[in-house]
Amino acid sequence: MSTRSEYDRLINNKWQDHEHTIPTDQQAIRGCRAIYRKAMGKPWKGKVEIVRRKNQYTWIRRGVMYVNPNRPQWFHKAGWHDMTHDMSHYCHARLRSNERPHSNHQTRLETTLTNYVLSDGFEKYR
């Protein structure tokens, strides 16, 4: 299980140096598809919908990827940080269904996805 200080060092502190803009609907859709592809090793082929409810996570339910680009959390910022966090948990649950949500593997996956989203290669989605 990762500690809060590890999580801050590997993930949260990296977001502090980046602007927390809310992506457009199209940027959020394309970006979440790219995050899914990076984590799962295959593209998302199902339907994607934007949701506006403040309490709805970016998540996949019944074959639909629901993307919420503006859902603030208590310690995450809305936008890419939140969407990356949510997608890392979804993908981890599918890749390692026997592990707890905040295991070391999930932290490593979220670190990889955070680095990907903050990289120059992801710039086209922002």
Side-chain angles (χ1 to χ4, degrees):
M1 198 66 98
S2 297
T3 65
R4 176 64 187 239
S5 62
E6 281 180 298
Y7 193 83
D8 284 342
R9 180 178 57 83
L10 294 170
I11 298 162
N12 287 337
N13 293 345
K14 292 178 182 178
W15 289 104
Q16 290 177 355
D17 298 335
H18 291 81
E19 186 178 330
H20 292 288
T21 58
I22 305 301
T24 66
D25 291 355
Q26 196 58 37
Q27 287 171 325
I29 289 170
R30 290 178 62 221
C32 283
R33 284 178 175 270
I35 292 168
Y36 178 92
R37 184 174 54 250
K38 178 74 171 173
M40 301 298 285
K42 61 183 180 181
W44 173 254
K45 295 185 180 187
K47 187 177 177 183
V48 181
E49 290 184 17
I50 292 289
V51 293
R52 299 276 179 226
R53 291 183 292 277
K54 295 286 186 194
N55 64 343
Q56 191 165 3
Y57 293 84
T58 294
W59 204 258
I60 297 172
R61 298 172 199 84
R62 294 178 296 282
V64 179
M65 180 186 289
Y66 293 97
V67 177
N68 190 344
N70 195 17
R71 185 187 74 87
Q73 277 187 275
W74 61 276
F75 80 85
H76 291 158
K77 301 283 188 190
W80 293 114
H81 187 177
D82 184 57
M83 290 186 298
T84 302
H85 177 78
D86 290 351
M87 289 302 293
S88 76
H89 277 286
Y90 175 84
C91 294
H92 175 261
R94 296 307 168 270
L95 292 169
R96 296 178 174 271
S97 59
N98 294 334
E99 288 190 13
R100 297 177 78 97
H102 288 123
S103 71
N104 290 334
H105 288 110
Q106 189 277 326
T107 301
R108 276 188 247 137
L109 177 61
E110 187 168 352
T111 300
T112 299
L113 295 177
T114 296
N115 292 339
Y116 175 60
V117 171
L118 296 175
S119 73
D120 292 339
F122 197 84
E123 187 64 37
K124 62 187 169 193
Y125 303 111
R126 285 186 260 142

